[in-house]
Amino acid sequence: MELTGGTFYEQFGSGFILRTYEDRTLGIDNSILGGRVKVNSVKGLRLTALGGLQRVYWDWKLQSQVYGADVEADIHDWIPSMRAKDAALTLGASWVLRHEKDDGDIFLDGTDYRLKLPEETNAIDIRGTFTQGPWSLQAEYAWKGQDPSYDNDYTYNHGQAVMLTGSYSRKGLSASLQAKRSSNFSFRSQRKRNGLPAFINYMPAFTYQHTYALPALFPYATQYGPGEWAFNGSFGYTFPRKSALGGRYGTSLTLNLSYISSLVHEGDPRNPINGAVRGTDGYKSPFWKMGHTNYWDFNVQLEKRLSKPVTLHFMYMNQRYNRQALENEGGNIYNNIFVADAKWRINRKFTLRGEVQYMLSHEDSAERDFMDAHPERDRCDWFYALAEFSWTPYLMFSVSDMINTGGTGNHYYMFGITGNYRNNRLMLSYGRTREGFNCSGGMCRYVPAMKGFQINYTYNF
């Protein structure tokens, strides 16, 4: 038995109904202040119960509480024949309750009628994972009770989310397929909040998390309130050494495809624009119908080691970004991105790395009209170059420049130095950053343009 009192992080299943975590780059820390008990006294059975207040920025708001329970069972621990066949089956179920008082200041649009808001909102989650040898299959379903909030325009529809994942993996080969549908599944400890804070749950993003600068210019943010259909497929293969394509050291090929669409909202005829009316059950979404494309990303990556010290990495990416659906302005942006990355390990201590990237873009008519009305914004084509020299494990020097070649001609340069000594890490940089969105795992926050110094110091205990 494990007892916790104070602040803690917890996740049930994939996080559909509960995930508290920290992400410093986005300014997220939604830990729970309270108590938790974990019981693992029966082989193959895990129980968790918790309750407390959720952190929102630097405070714990006392008007709402979060309670939850979770159980997971490893069925294969009780069936020897499954273990003999290298099979494993895990089943799980979770429950979360949010209690928030009805403060009485949400009114029906254009009237003096006050909405009666439920003080308790329940959510449940059931899931299962089966693996045998190189194969794996995972399914999860979650349901949320009536939860009128800022995210759904204070409507009373229930929320649902379902996810299915299948994968295959062996030495030199991996493949996976994922599908997810979510509707009205924003779950916060404070119903009036918007933006990043106060999320009790987490909807995993099904898009590739890019680390190169230009592919990350237009990241995708999970649509909690309106919902979405999301699909992802990935394939990886390593050509063996001494084969025609593998060469002396082998060659790695990776393919990834992500597709996100909106749901079709069939709502109250009094509000045909967005299909939702405050104070009603809101829109209805036929399960299998899909709306417009929110996001598309196809990328292929090739990594080739020419010799022991020299490694090359190439990537091509085709992307569609629906700014209107994701930012409520503009139209569609279509990008073709090319990346070349070379690393030369001079010796055990010194490494030199360089990369060049180019983005070729075009816009639909709605996006062109929007950008023409905002000539100060960067648009169209981009070029990026970076050089990096490291002295392992003590110092790393880097210089980069991102140039808007198709519009303003702006340069976004950066000079940086990072030092490591024992448990200390100090990073100093000077340069210019563009405005945009900083994203991690499908959660995004807006970052303003900046020019100046940045200092970051970390000490690991």
Side-chain angles (χ1 to χ4, degrees), residues 263-319:
L263 303 182
V264 174
H265 292 167
E266 299 177 352
D268 192 300
R270 292 173 295 172
N271 191 1
I273 296 177
N274 60 22
V277 179
R278 176 180 289 197
T280 71
D281 285 339
Y283 57 78
K284 303 297 181 184
S285 301
F287 188 87
W288 295 109
K289 286 189 177 181
M290 300 181 194
H292 52 71
T293 299
N294 286 348
Y295 184 85
W296 158 281
D297 174 2
F298 169 75
N299 63 80
V300 54
Q301 303 183 52
L302 186 71
E303 183 168 303
K304 175 69 175 177
R305 191 171 184 178
L306 297 182
S307 62
K308 281 190 175 182
V310 179
T311 303
L312 300 179
H313 188 99
F314 301 97
M315 184 179 81
Y316 165 73
M317 172 180 170
N318 179 270
Q319 180 189 53

Side-chain angles (χ1 to χ4, degrees), residues 129-381:
T129 301
F130 177 78
T131 61
Q132 184 170 26
W135 299 93
S136 176
L137 181 65
Q138 178 183 357
E140 187 164 359
Y141 172 79
W143 175 91
K144 178 172 66 77
Q146 291 182 337
D147 184 21
S149 67
Y150 175 91
D151 294 314
N152 64 12
D153 196 25
Y154 298 97
T155 53
Y156 289 75
N157 203 359
H158 296 152
Q160 296 186 70
V162 60
M163 180 175 69
L164 185 65
T165 301
S167 64
Y168 175 85
S169 178
R170 63 173 175 82
K171 185 178 180 180
L173 174 65
S174 65
S176 70
L177 290 173
Q178 295 179 295
K180 179 190 70 175
R181 185 191 187 276
S182 61
S183 175
N184 189 31
F185 224 83
S186 169
F187 195 19
R188 302 179 189 253
S189 58
Q190 293 176 290
R191 60 173 66 93
K192 294 181 183 179
R193 284 279 182 177
N194 65 338
L196 287 179
F199 271 109
I200 298 173
N201 70 325
Y202 173 80
M203 299 301 294
F206 273 32
T207 55
Y208 189 88
Q209 301 302 301
H210 290 283
T211 56
Y212 288 110
L214 295 188
L217 277 184
F218 296 98
Y220 182 77
T222 304
Q223 301 300 288
Y224 279 75
E228 62 187 23
W229 264 108
F231 302 91
N232 178 266
S234 64
F235 173 81
Y237 182 73
T238 299
F239 295 95
R241 296 181 180 184
K242 299 182 180 180
S243 65
L245 295 177
R248 183 176 179 182
Y249 298 97
T251 303
S252 297
L253 174 69
T254 304
L255 303 175
N256 186 275
L257 174 63
S258 301
Y259 176 78
I260 317 291
S261 79
S262 66
L263 303 182
V264 174
H265 292 167
E266 299 177 352
D268 192 300
R270 292 173 295 172
N271 191 1
I273 296 177
N274 60 22
V277 179
R278 176 180 289 197
T280 71
D281 285 339
Y283 57 78
K284 303 297 181 184
S285 301
F287 188 87
W288 295 109
K289 286 189 177 181
M290 300 181 194
H292 52 71
T293 299
N294 286 348
Y295 184 85
W296 158 281
D297 174 2
F298 169 75
N299 63 80
V300 54
Q301 303 183 52
L302 186 71
E303 183 168 303
K304 175 69 175 177
R305 191 171 184 178
L306 297 182
S307 62
K308 281 190 175 182
V310 179
T311 303
L312 300 179
H313 188 99
F314 301 97
M315 184 179 81
Y316 165 73
M317 172 180 170
N318 179 270
Q319 180 189 53
R320 176 181 176 179
Y321 181 85
N322 189 335
R323 191 197 297 269
Q324 175 60 40
L326 304 179
E327 303 180 30
N328 201 30
E329 59 185 13
N332 286 280
I333 306 170
Y334 304 89
N335 300 318
N336 288 284
I337 305 172
F338 304 87
V339 177
D341 183 337
K343 183 171 69 174
W344 175 29
R345 190 175 181 183
I346 303 170
N347 54 41
R348 293 179 62 185
K349 289 187 175 293
F350 300 106
T351 302
L352 181 64
R353 190 178 75 88
E355 63 183 60
V356 291
Q357 305 173 35
Y358 182 68
M359 176 189 288
L360 180 65
S361 302
H362 69 276
E363 308 152 344
D364 66 7
S365 57
E367 179 67 13
R368 285 195 297 271
D369 292 342
F370 171 74
M371 295 303 293
D372 289 343
H374 298 83
E376 75 284 357
R377 291 200 178 193
D378 298 312
R379 65 190 298 181
C380 294
D381 304 341

